[in-house]
């Protein structure tokens, strides 16, 4: 059986309490909490979220695959460690949600970053963008991969839309390793996270 879906579970009931599918993203099924509970009534709700995410990751669906830490290249292991370590430096007094990111540049340089929040919440800078800005100021702009580390029991935290766009500016083929402090890892890529992206190739400022 091939699974190619991600379940998005609403904490609050959406307008339509029934299961529905977003037409443009056929691999994303959105279910209400009650529909989810009805379908999987025998399992604890928190556990179910884990089961589903892991199932999706294990099956190697279109968007991500589970990878074993031990089998990764040493350079990838290093950025994972860096992302885990820099996460401790996050400035996140409002959300208390610390995130670390580390980029592996083409020449082997590693650049890390953590989220930096602001009392004007919208000014928050995510770990991924913090790392990119730091890299650019170090004259690095060719990135092979990025590791992103956060702690959310049941989920692998994935870059927000703004960060996906910023990563796509530099390399849509960039590998993305979503990791947890315990070395659970899911591998994806910028193009998988942001298909049909708007990139510098699309614009010309010469005319
Ligand atoms: N955050 C990141 O730094 N990266 C992500 O991929 C997701 C979210 C931060 C932003 C904010 O400081 C906190 O996590 C909660 O959203």
């Amino acid at each position: 059986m091939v699974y190619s879906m991600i379940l998005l579970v609403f904490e609050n009931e959406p307008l339509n309490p029934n299961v529905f599918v977003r037409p443009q993203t056929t691999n994303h099924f959105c279910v209400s909490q009650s529909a989810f509970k009805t379908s999987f009534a025998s399992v604890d709700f928190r556990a179910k979220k884990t089961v589903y995410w892991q199932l999706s990751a294990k099956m190697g669906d279109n968007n991500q695959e589970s990878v074993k830490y031990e089998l990764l290249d040493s350079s990838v292991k290093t950025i994972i460690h860096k992302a885990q370590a820099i996460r401790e430096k996050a400035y996140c007094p409002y959300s208390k949600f610390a995130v670390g990111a580390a980029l592996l540049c083409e020449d082997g340089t590693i650049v890390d970053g953590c989220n930096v929040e602001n009392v004007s919440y919208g000014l928050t800078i995510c770990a991924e963008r913090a790392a990119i800005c730091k890299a650019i100021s170090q004259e690095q702009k060719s990135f092979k991969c990025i590791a992103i580390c956060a702690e959310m029991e049941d989920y692998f935290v994935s870059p927000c839309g703004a960060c996906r766009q910023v990563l796509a500016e530099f390399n849509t083929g960039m590998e993305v390793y979503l990791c947890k402090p315990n070395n659970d890892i899911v591998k994806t890529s910028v193009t998988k996270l942001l298909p049909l992206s708007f990139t510098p190739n699309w614009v010309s400022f010469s005319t």
Side-chain angles (χ1 to χ4, degrees):
M1 196 187 293
V2 177
Y3 289 85
S4 59
M5 64 180 180
I6 294 175
L7 276 173
L8 304 178
V9 182
F10 292 87
E11 292 302 336
N12 300 312
E13 291 298 305
L15 290 180
N16 178 351
N18 299 313
V19 176
F20 63 95
V21 183
R22 288 191 183 158
Q24 284 99 1
T25 55
T26 46
N27 60 341
H28 284 62
F29 280 70
C30 305
V31 299
S32 72
Q33 192 165 323
S34 64
F36 198 78
K37 275 182 174 154
T38 313
S39 320
F40 302 91
S42 58
V43 196
D44 167 69
F45 183 61
R46 286 184 70 79
K48 274 179 300 204
K49 286 196 288 192
T50 314
V51 167
Y52 252 80
W53 180 272
Q54 288 176 351
L55 207 54
S56 178
K58 268 195 200 124
M59 293 298 166
D61 75 17
N62 294 331
N63 297 316
Q64 79 278 313
E65 58 176 305
S66 228
V67 292
K68 282 215 181 317
Y69 172 82
E70 303 77 45
L71 302 179
L72 293 171
D73 283 355
S74 63
S75 55
V76 175
K77 284 182 182 162
T78 307
I79 58 167
I80 287 169
H81 294 156
K82 291 275 182 190
Q84 290 165 337
I86 193 76
R87 183 173 165 261
E88 307 291 327
K89 303 255 170 28
Y91 176 74
C92 52
Y94 308 106
S95 73
K96 310 256 190 302
F97 189 69
V99 185
L103 290 157
L104 177 65
C105 308
E106 282 298 340
D107 69 358
T109 304
I110 292 173
V111 184
D112 56 12
C114 58
N115 52 333
V116 181
E117 297 189 343
N118 191 276
V119 64
S120 175
Y121 299 166
L123 299 182
T124 290
I125 300 165
C126 295
E128 298 89 325
R129 275 177 290 153
I132 290 275
C133 292
K134 196 171 171 187
I136 294 298
S137 67
Q138 293 175 18
E139 299 185 337
Q140 294 287 347
K141 59 175 181 180
S142 301
F143 310 115
K144 276 162 71 170
C145 43
I146 186 168
I148 301 159
C149 178
E151 170 71 280
M152 211 179 203
E153 238 175 270
D154 300 332
Y155 294 107
F156 289 92
V157 172
S158 187
C160 74
C163 288
R164 292 175 194 207
Q165 179 65 29
V166 170
L167 295 173
E169 175 78 13
F170 299 99
N171 180 9
T172 52
M174 199 187 312
E175 291 173 355
V176 178
Y177 293 88
L178 311 176
C179 52
K180 297 183 187 178
N182 68 359
N183 283 349
D184 278 353
I185 298 153
V186 159
K187 181 183 175 184
T188 180
S189 72
V190 170
T191 198
K192 286 175 183 166
L193 293 170
L194 191 67
L196 301 174
S197 55
F198 180 61
T199 66
N201 297 335
W202 290 87
V203 292
S204 162
F205 295 114
S206 58
T207 51

